[in-house]
Amino acid sequence: MQLQEITRVHTITKKEFLRDYVKPQKPVVIEHLIDDWKAYDKWNLAYIKDIAGDKEVPLYDDRPVKHDEGFNQAHATMSMREYVDLLKKEPTNYRIFLYNLMKEVPSLKEDFKFPKIGLRLLKQIPMLFFGGEGSKVFMHHDIDWANILHFHFEGKKQCVLFPPSETPHLYKVPYSLITREDINFDDPDYDKFPNLKKAKGFICHLNHGETLYMPEGYWHYMKYETPGFSMSLRALPRKVSNLRKALYNVFYMRHYDNFMRRRKGQAWIDEKNERAMSN
């Protein structure tokens, strides 16, 4: 794969952000966007354990998609206290994915602000993501084709991104938001997946308090190099064509996929994976 480092800026103005990154749809890491948040100093795993330790949380691992599992169905649950202890004790594949902890612990809303840098951020769904050392989030793009601000807390996280234009090289699975799950994006098998050599993307390593902007429909693969967590804020796609794709995903694609899983079972999953290769 052909990966280049994502541009880093110390700070940025609204005008610069819209002109240089949102309009041309280019990712950027902003190193000091949230220094004035209470969360910048407060948010770490120990604080989350203290304030939300008794909450039952959904956990995901890296097992392949199965036909009898629902859309984004969790693989296990445990208390946040147990989960943070596990993260600190040893590497684990268990992750918390797309979790609205603010709904469970409203006081967390007092620790952050909605950045005023030109995106009309949705106020209802700030989502949190947690992972242990070495855990990975499979290559995917978000169902709503949103513009995403991704804020990282504690430790270090690797992010690999590809723009939608690179989809033909990524072995996308039809009627889904993912690529072939047997691709190791840390060490791709180019004999099996030769088209990956043509894929042109971006890479960065996020540290505590840094913000990654991911444009509309960007593919992203995340790996927690150390235990940590992140929060995402999102804005609806600005391009009408991307908004149409989001509506298609939400109101047709995922329902059709679930219908076919029920009708054909594992044969539907196998068929989609084969089509990803032939496509």
Side-chain angles (χ1 to χ4, degrees):
M1 301 181 296
Q2 304 170 52
L3 302 179
Q4 66 181 79
E5 286 286 336
I6 295 175
T7 301
R8 285 179 165 267
V9 297
H10 191 74
T11 58
I12 198 167
T13 65
K14 174 181 175 180
K15 181 179 179 180
E16 291 168 338
F17 180 63
L18 290 173
R19 180 193 67 206
D20 298 338
Y21 300 103
V22 176
K23 186 175 181 180
Q25 290 288 276
K26 292 172 54 180
V28 63
V29 174
I30 309 170
E31 296 176 339
H32 296 282
L33 181 66
I34 64 170
D35 288 15
D36 62 338
W37 286 11
K38 293 179 182 178
Y40 185 84
D41 295 314
K42 290 172 61 176
W43 282 18
N44 54 42
L45 290 171
Y47 178 70
I48 296 297
K49 176 182 175 179
D50 181 61
I51 199 169
D54 62 337
K55 303 301 179 183
E56 198 78 5
V57 294
L59 301 176
Y60 302 82
D61 57 27
D62 55 1
R63 72 187 68 177
V65 170
K66 296 172 62 178
H67 74 276
D68 56 353
E69 292 179 342
F71 193 82
N72 281 346
Q73 180 177 324
H75 299 137
T77 61
M78 66 176 63
S79 72
M80 180 66 83
R81 180 176 295 104
E82 293 173 311
Y83 180 61
V84 171
D85 288 343
L86 176 62
L87 293 185
K88 289 180 172 291
K89 179 183 178 183
E90 60 192 17
T92 176
N93 288 332
Y94 275 134
R95 298 174 288 103
I96 299 178
F97 180 74
L98 208 65
Y99 182 54
N100 190 353
L101 186 59
M102 312 296 170
K103 184 177 180 180
E104 303 290 332
V105 187
S107 61
L108 287 171
K109 296 178 182 178
E110 301 170 5
D111 295 339
F112 71 91
K113 309 171 186 177
F114 288 85
K116 297 179 179 179
I117 56 173
L119 293 177
R120 300 180 64 178
L121 297 164
L122 300 174
K123 301 297 177 69
Q124 299 90 346
I125 47 174
M127 296 295 182
L128 292 179
F129 306 79
F130 292 72
E133 179 183 343
S135 63
K136 304 171 183 179
V137 182
F138 48 79
M139 183 69 75
H140 69 287
H141 70 82
D142 286 8
I143 193 170
D144 57 0
W145 279 67
N147 290 279
I148 299 170
L149 294 177
H150 193 68
F151 315 91
H152 188 61
F153 298 94
E154 188 158 332
K156 181 171 286 192
K157 185 177 190 179
Q158 175 187 278
C159 309
V160 175
L161 311 183
F162 290 99
S165 60
E166 297 304 297
T167 299
H169 307 313
L170 297 177
Y171 300 87
K172 179 187 183 300
V173 177
Y175 298 105
S176 76
L177 308 172
I178 62 174
T179 62
R180 286 268 308 211
E181 294 170 283
D182 51 347
I183 297 175
N184 177 2
F185 279 93
D186 291 322
D187 184 20
D189 181 347
Y190 293 117
D191 292 328
K192 185 175 182 179
F193 305 107
N195 231 34
L196 287 175
K197 293 180 181 180
K198 302 177 184 178
K200 297 179 180 179
F202 303 88
I203 188 171
C204 72
H205 296 81
L206 292 180
N207 303 296
H208 177 87
E210 294 181 340
T211 303
L212 170 63
Y213 166 61
M214 291 187 286
E216 300 171 15
Y218 260 57
W219 292 94
H220 43 287
Y221 162 80
M222 310 290 197
K223 183 173 74 172
Y224 291 87
E225 299 180 304
T226 64
F229 64 101
S230 307
M231 182 181 79
S232 282
L233 297 175
R234 56 210 308 113
L236 293 175
R238 296 157 64 95
K239 293 184 177 180
V240 174
S241 60
N242 290 343
L243 181 58
R244 285 199 295 264
K245 293 172 185 174
L247 293 173
Y248 167 82
N249 288 341
V250 172
F251 293 107
Y252 177 76
M253 183 273 289
R254 68 173 175 176
H255 298 294
Y256 177 75
D257 185 53
N258 284 334
F259 167 76
M260 292 300 290
R261 289 189 196 197
R262 292 192 298 268
R263 182 181 179 189
K264 299 182 70 174
Q266 187 60 37
W268 173 242
I269 304 296
D270 296 340
E271 177 185 325
K272 292 199 302 175
N273 279 320
E274 291 171 5
R275 288 175 61 184
M277 296 295 284
S278 61
N279 287 345

